[in-house]
Every structure is written in structure tokens, then in C-alpha cells.
Amino acid sequence: MSDVYAQPTTGTDPADVSLLASYTTLRTGGPAARIVPATSADEIVRAVREAGGRDEQVLILAGGSNVVIGDAGFPGTVVLVRSRGLRVVAEDADTVTVRVEAGEPWDDLVAATVANGWSGLECLSGIPGSTGATPIQNVGAYGQEVAETITGVEVHDRVEGTTGRIAAADCGFAYRGSIFKYSDRWVVLSVDFRLTRSPLSGPLRYAELARALGVEVGDRVPLADARAAVLRLRGGKGMVLDPADPDTRSVGSFFTNPVLDRAAYELLRERAADLGEPPSWPGAGDVVKVSAAWLIDKAGFGKGHPGPGGVAISSKHTLALTNRSGRASTADLVALAREIRDGVHARFAVTLHPEPVLINCTI
């Protein structure tokens, strides 16, 4: 499942809504054979089953803020998830569990949790897309990941033909991944989050955010302050959707931060000896996560680096690849992504991997 919004992306150039570019924040992607809107879990399941009965391929699509669709489009049924709503399903003195429909816009949910004094999602403010997409990607930013608060995911199992709930422990959550990410078996219908009743954020883990708030890492701040600071930081990096800003015609961070074993990390340090210590964070076991943005920049691909057809690295953030012209093709974007990936590997012997879901295209 990709990110979910109900309508074509505001300001898209393609006038033909059969073009999937109309439903992606990149504004690229060819036509679909069939597009079916679904406004409830039952409608989502019915659309998937009917497409299966026609022996068609199925793509579950939302606002397309984390998907790259090929220029040939998609030769089957695209189900646009438009389900909305959230409700409290469990609570006690310290916590509240909310069940959120897959199509609920993510930032609307975060805003609601902050307004209600529920802590746990505030540092994930400003991320475009749907709630249903977040467990697929194990969305994370500024020191928080959704895996920390998700208790279960309601899914339709296309193999078994059943609907049920998968506990968080069985979702296979990992860095920017889950059992859902590279499988079309499960269709996410709703997500349960257990949040803390508190007017304060969780302990801040991200140094940049702590600095922006004038506090120390580990401190807690009012929820609204944390949300406002995250929105400012994301906006300054072109990571909050803005039809007037061509840097936001992107999928956000295009590459994940590489996770290296000790030998690969030491090789990187050798190759980067003239550049100083690569920014890195220790991971579980003997692995190290390295900044992809730093690797890209130091390999010679700075902010604004151009590619074909009007694509370019964002002028605000090295990790975002943008369709600045609004007229580029997916092939143009792929060409730039390959140039960056190959250049980083040649310089540092580190292979970058794309973060978005790729549909009928490869990097």
C-alpha cells in the first residue's frame, strides 16, 4: 500500500486523472487500466476481491507520497483508499488506544493526538500521506517511529481471503520496513496506536530537534511546541507539501541511511579519511547506520544537482529528488537516482537503497 489521500494531488500538471501522476506527489506515473475509489474498509476489500475475480493486478494507492510509478503506469486496478476516521478502542489512566482508518491523512491524526494531549506521534508531524501507509514503511522521523506505538494492524489477507488483525510483534518492524512493504498479500485497513496521556512529548532523541527547541536531548517539551518545531524543520527542508514549492514535488527522502557491518564501516572510514568522520549512529549488534545525505553530498551531488528532464536534488535537502519542472518523467528521476547511487558507490563502496515503493520501475 502506498500513501493515501482521496483526491488527485493539488496542482498536478496532468489533466487526465487516469494518469497516476495525478495521484503522486512526484507528479510522475503513467495510466492505470482502472481506478476505483474506496471510502470504507468494506469497499476496499470488495474492490480488491472484484479485481482478483477478474484476474487483474491490484495496486493499493493513496496520495502517492512514498511511491514511484513507472511511465508505463499500472496494467490493472488501482484502489484509491479514501476511508476516514479514528476512535478510542481502549483506555486507562495512563494510556489511550486509538483505531485509525487507513485513509485518514497522517498529519490530521498527529494534530488530533497533540490537541487531545496524547503523546507518542508529535515528532512525526508534517509527514504527508495516510495512516495506513505508516506501518508498511515503519515511518520514522526526529527520533520517533510508528512501531513504538502501534499495537496492531487490521489487514485483508489476499491469500487466505480473510480479514483480521496482526499484532505489532508479528509485523516484522525494522528500519523503514515491515512484512507489508514488499508483499502484496496484505491490504492495510486500519491501525491501532497506544499513546500516553501527557501534555509533554516523549524524551527528545534527535539533537537537531532539541537544538531547535533550546533544550537538551532527553528533555521533554509541550506537545504543541514539539509539533511546531518539527513542522518548521521539515518545512525548511521542503518536506511539507506546498503546491507553490517545487522542492516538495518529491517522495521525501529518496534513499535510506545505509546500515553497515563493521568491515564495511571501516572501509567507508578509510575512503572518507580526507573528509572527516562520517556521521553515524550505532545500531543493534555490531552495525552502524550512516547518513545517506552526507554520503551523497560528499560524493559530489550537492543540493540542486540537476538531472534530465527538469529533475534535481532538492535545493533544501540532499536526500530528496524532485520533479522541479513538474513535467519530468519517471525515467528522468530514475536516471538521476542511478547517477547518485553509482557515484556514492564509486566514492565510498557503499550502496544506497531507495526508500519509496517502486511500481513498474527499477533503480
Side-chain angles (χ1 to χ4, degrees):
M1 178 176 177
S2 208
D3 301 337
V4 177
Y5 282 145
Q7 296 83 24
T9 305
T10 301
T12 50
D13 291 332
D16 183 356
V17 295
S18 70
L19 291 176
L20 294 173
S22 298
Y23 300 91
T24 69
T25 54
L26 266 172
R27 302 186 194 176
T28 67
R34 187 193 311 267
I35 296 178
V36 179
T39 60
S40 69
D42 288 344
E43 287 186 6
I44 296 167
V45 173
R46 182 163 58 250
V48 169
R49 285 176 170 165
E50 289 177 354
R54 295 189 296 266
D55 199 28
E56 293 178 351
Q57 296 182 56
V58 178
L59 172 63
I60 310 299
L61 185 66
S65 63
N66 196 52
V67 64
V68 181
I69 301 174
D71 295 316
F74 187 75
T77 293
V78 175
V79 179
L80 292 179
V81 177
R82 299 181 176 183
S83 54
R84 296 290 296 270
L86 62 95
R87 60 191 175 95
V88 174
V89 294
E91 56 184 322
D92 57 33
D94 300 317
T95 68
V96 59
T97 299
V98 291
R99 181 162 296 165
V100 190
E101 298 301 314
E104 182 71 16
W106 174 254
D107 197 52
D108 287 3
L109 168 63
V110 177
T113 65
V114 169
N116 280 286
W118 301 336
S119 175
L121 303 179
E122 59 280 353
C123 294
L124 301 175
S125 294
I127 295 174
S130 73
T131 298
T134 61
I136 296 171
Q137 190 76 4
N138 185 18
V139 165
Y142 294 101
Q144 287 181 339
E145 286 184 336
V146 293
E148 298 167 345
T149 53
I150 289 175
T151 61
V153 181
E154 183 188 17
V155 299
H156 173 63
D157 186 333
R158 296 178 61 195
V159 174
E160 300 293 334
T162 58
T163 297
R165 195 163 297 278
I166 299 178
D170 298 319
C171 290
F173 289 129
Y175 172 61
R176 299 300 176 268
S178 69
I179 61 170
F180 311 115
K181 185 169 183 180
Y182 296 113
S183 172
D184 61 3
R185 175 175 178 175
W186 294 282
V187 180
V188 174
L189 303 175
S190 69
V191 187
D192 288 0
F193 299 88
R194 181 183 292 127
L195 306 171
T196 302
R197 294 183 185 273
S198 174
L200 299 179
S201 69
L204 298 177
R205 303 170 184 165
Y206 204 79
E208 181 186 20
L209 178 57
R211 287 194 300 271
L213 286 159
V215 299
E216 299 296 322
V217 171
D219 287 349
R220 304 172 73 194
V221 299
L223 292 173
D225 291 356
R227 173 170 167 77
V230 169
L231 289 173
R232 287 194 300 271
L233 289 171
R234 291 186 63 86
K237 298 174 182 178
M239 295 293 188
V240 177
L241 291 180
D242 179 355
D245 184 355
D247 276 332
T248 69
R249 296 188 200 121
S250 76
V251 290
S253 297
F254 194 90
F255 295 105
T256 59
N257 291 323
V259 178
L260 308 179
D261 62 26
R262 183 57 55 179
Y265 179 64
E266 292 304 327
L267 177 58
L268 166 62
R269 294 182 67 198
E270 289 178 18
R271 293 202 172 201
D274 59 325
L275 301 171
E277 193 73 13
S280 61
W281 306 268
D286 196 26
V287 299
V288 179
K289 183 165 66 174
V290 179
S291 168
W294 186 90
L295 294 171
I296 292 167
D297 181 66
K298 298 306 182 183
F301 304 99
K303 295 174 184 176
H305 178 86
V311 299
I313 293 177
S314 168
S315 67
K316 302 179 182 71
H317 196 285
T318 314
L319 268 182
L321 308 188
T322 67
N323 177 6
R324 290 191 60 82
S325 70
R327 299 181 297 276
S329 66
T330 299
D332 294 329
L333 185 85
V334 166
L336 176 58
R338 288 175 177 166
E339 179 190 8
I340 294 167
R341 179 201 60 191
D342 294 347
V344 167
H345 189 271
R347 178 67 175 84
F348 297 115
V350 174
T351 300
L352 296 180
H353 297 283
E355 183 168 324
V357 177
L358 307 180
I359 305 296
N360 288 348
C361 62
T362 58
I363 302 301

